Amino acid sequence: MSDAPAPDERLSYRLITGADNREFCERISAALADGYVLHGSPAATFNGTTVIVAQAIVLPAAIASADAAVATAVDQLDAEFEGEFDGEGHA
């Protein structure tokens, strides 16, 4: 049994890397057309011959899901420690 996602299942996060050329830009453009959004700034390095770039992309639903999970965790911590702190980190 494989843990790999089904071929039609899109990953929430991808890091696309490659030479800084038209093909790389086409890959990013295709991902954007497929519903991904850029996540952070691109990174670039030089391997002695070619500039290599990387761009993280995410699905908007993944961001919303992560934000909701953080908000839920904060709410749970607030409820657990209600009244135990003075709002400035002091007990």
Side-chain angles (χ1 to χ4, degrees), residues 2-77:
S2 173
D3 288 336
D8 59 340
E9 182 182 335
R10 296 187 304 166
L11 298 172
S12 296
Y13 170 89
R14 293 172 54 196
L15 180 64
I16 298 177
T17 61
D20 186 13
N21 57 24
R22 182 177 180 89
E23 179 186 349
F24 177 82
C25 293
E26 288 173 350
R27 291 171 59 204
I28 295 294
S29 295
L32 295 174
D34 196 30
Y36 284 89
V37 295
L38 301 177
H39 184 71
S41 299
T45 190
F46 183 68
N47 69 3
T49 307
T50 306
V51 173
I52 305 297
V53 290
Q55 176 64 60
I57 57 174
V58 295
L59 289 172
I63 295 170
S65 176
D67 287 348
V70 169
T72 298
V74 169
D75 288 346
Q76 289 172 346
L77 285 173

